[in-house]
Amino acid sequence: MPNVRLTKSSVDRLLATNRDTIYWDDGLPGFGLRVKTTGVKSFLVQYRNKQTGRSKRKTLGRYGPTLSLGAAREMARALLADVVRGGDPVADAQTLRHSPTVNSLAAQYMTEHAEPKKRPGSVRNDRSMLDRHILPKLGELKVIEVTHQHVQKLHNQLRDTPYQANRTLALMSKIFELSVRWGQRSDNPARGIEKFPEEKRDRWLSDDELQRLLVALSEHPNQVAANAIRLQLLTGARIGEVLKAKWEDFDLVRAVWTKPSHHTKQKRREHLPISSATCDLLAAMKAGASPESPWLFPGRSPDQPYKDLKKFWSSVTTSAGLQDYRIHDNRHTHASHLVSSGLSLPIVGRLLGHTNPSTTQRYAHLADDPLRQAADVMGKKISGGSS
């Protein structure tokens, strides 16, 4: 195989022979031009793998309008420099060719992680974020091709909905963390991306609004759904925990609600003390309950719980004249009234099932109310005595 000084003129002059011929460049060892018997000319590199000692060749592309000699020489120089650093361009290309796509990684995530380990609602949310945001942008890329910049760009494109953007980022981070564990790449490209600031909802009911809601509940014809809301207000539970509650979960003698781990957000069993008012509500419900159903709030079929309160909730809040008040905000109402009554934040956090104390901190300013009332006692005495 002859060595020549590869220049544009020399490359153009080389003609086909009766066999494929490789001409190696005098100026860049390992860089060459293959001339096939058909006359087709292609650039290539040849190198020796440092670990195995094996000689390997990699074709860079066909000489022509889309690949000039200068461009091919720069490609070769970069690849050969990578070899000096211990790289293996042929093996890397084979790895990329056989690497799974983000589409297949997402499918693996759903079947091997989300569906067996997460709650149905969370699985639906993950699927929605994948289908709406992640896969349309990244799905066709190989897993090892995804960069920090890809993830950052996708996150930035959702800046107008910061909560959704941050949830999507968290999902991408989890998926790529698993791809590292599954040996599909060596790093997590979603790590280190700063989340957008989120404004937490501070919506809960005043005493007047709460009374209006209770009146609307009492007047609504669907008292099964009304009792679900009453139980939520009395306990501060998530509505999903309420609707999935079974009679066997309650001990009215000890006044305890035992929430199974598969019903709670933290995936652990919780023992929640319940009030005498809650026990009275449950006793009244039990007296009229169907013996055929294990659920506190059976659906159309007695072997299934009540599924959805959206229409009911819309009707009740309209009747009560409540604006921008979601069913989940009943937890905030429960907590805010407890804190305003003088209960400590740690106690309220435990009742709500918060594992992170910072989650309960949104109610911290309400804890000043009973302290201010106590401080006013002495102020009133002094003001009264000085008049």
Side-chain angles (χ1 to χ4, degrees), residues 42-93:
S42 300
F43 296 107
L44 54 84
V45 292
Q46 179 169 295
Y47 63 92
R48 191 171 299 279
N49 181 280
K50 283 189 172 184
Q51 283 72 37
T52 65
R54 291 179 56 194
S55 180
K56 295 186 178 183
R57 287 179 184 172
K58 178 175 175 60
T59 300
L60 303 179
R62 182 173 174 173
Y63 173 56
T66 59
L67 182 61
S68 66
L69 171 63
R73 182 175 276 113
E74 289 304 312
M75 291 173 60
R77 186 173 285 113
L79 289 173
L80 294 170
D82 185 46
V83 171
V84 172
R85 294 190 293 267
D88 188 340
V90 172
D92 292 344

Side-chain angles (χ1 to χ4, degrees), residues 15-35:
L15 301 176
T17 62
N18 58 359
R19 64 176 183 174
D20 292 355
T21 306
I22 297 177
Y23 298 89
W24 297 108
D25 184 30
D26 275 344
L28 180 60
F31 174 52
L33 175 77
R34 179 191 288 117
V35 182

